Amino acid sequence: MFDGCVLGVDPGLASAGLASVGPDSGQLSVLWAETVRTPSGLAEEKRLRKVYGAVREAISDHRPAAVAVERLMWGKNVGSAMAVARASGVILLAAADAGVPIHEYAPLEVKMAATGVGNAGKADVRRSLSRLHGVHGIPTDPDAADAAAIAFCHLQQSRLREAAAR
């Protein structure tokens, strides 16, 4: 099993999910989770600073061995995608400033790691994490739960890479 915790981040400007996932008493658990919300009336640079600060604080408090971030997939709403891209940038910067390794995963990879199905819904992912994989403490907030799934994906990928290297 992975020795340290992983900070999973579901990037966003309006809300960003954060979750520290790692071993706790021999079980894989969500050790901490929160959703950072930024007021829509606040200037974008101040919203980005709030996201950056929350990630830096989470890294400082939880000392993750890695930060796992969901990779942005461009959709039809370019304006929304740009805001998420900017939020992703400050999240990556916060991890880089703290000297923590960064790993990015596409939404499909996260869903496949959790459920084995690439088009699984959010509820399916949460259910699979707790029932199929035995992860304790999955948050009810969707953004924080997504962050936990991203961290879990990294833990799964790390184990696979380690096994393949043997």
Side-chain angles (χ1 to χ4, degrees):
M1 179 172 279
F2 201 76
D3 292 330
C5 72
V6 171
L7 179 66
V9 184
D10 182 25
L13 184 60
S15 62
L18 305 171
S20 175
V21 177
D24 182 30
S25 302
Q27 299 286 338
L28 194 57
S29 299
V30 177
L31 307 170
W32 167 87
E34 80 171 17
T35 298
V36 178
R37 301 193 191 287
T38 64
S40 60
L42 198 60
E44 186 176 51
E45 64 274 9
K46 291 182 180 177
R47 295 173 83 184
L48 290 168
R49 181 181 297 274
K50 184 172 180 175
V51 171
Y52 174 89
V55 173
R56 281 303 303 261
E57 185 177 340
I59 290 170
S60 176
D61 290 350
H62 303 284
R63 306 214 180 276
V67 172
V69 181
E70 188 170 75
R71 185 178 302 123
L72 174 65
M73 302 306 290
W74 291 90
K76 293 180 183 178
N77 189 340
V78 175
S80 175
M82 285 301 295
V84 175
R86 289 181 178 124
S88 293
V90 300
I91 290 162
L92 298 177
L93 178 62
D97 281 352
V100 179
I102 304 160
H103 302 273
E104 292 185 274
Y105 297 95
L108 176 69
E109 291 176 282
V110 175
K111 291 174 183 179
M112 288 295 293
T115 68
V117 179
N119 64 351
K122 290 180 180 289
D124 297 325
V125 170
R126 284 193 303 271
R127 204 171 20 257
S128 289
L129 286 173
S130 62
R131 291 184 185 162
L132 181 63
H133 300 290
V135 180
H136 295 282
I138 300 298
T140 56
D141 179 87
D143 295 309
D146 286 351
I150 295 160
F152 174 80
C153 177
H154 177 70
L155 290 166
Q156 288 287 84
Q157 293 296 321
S158 295
R159 283 187 259 186
L160 291 173
R161 281 193 291 271
E162 184 179 301
R166 290 184 197 160

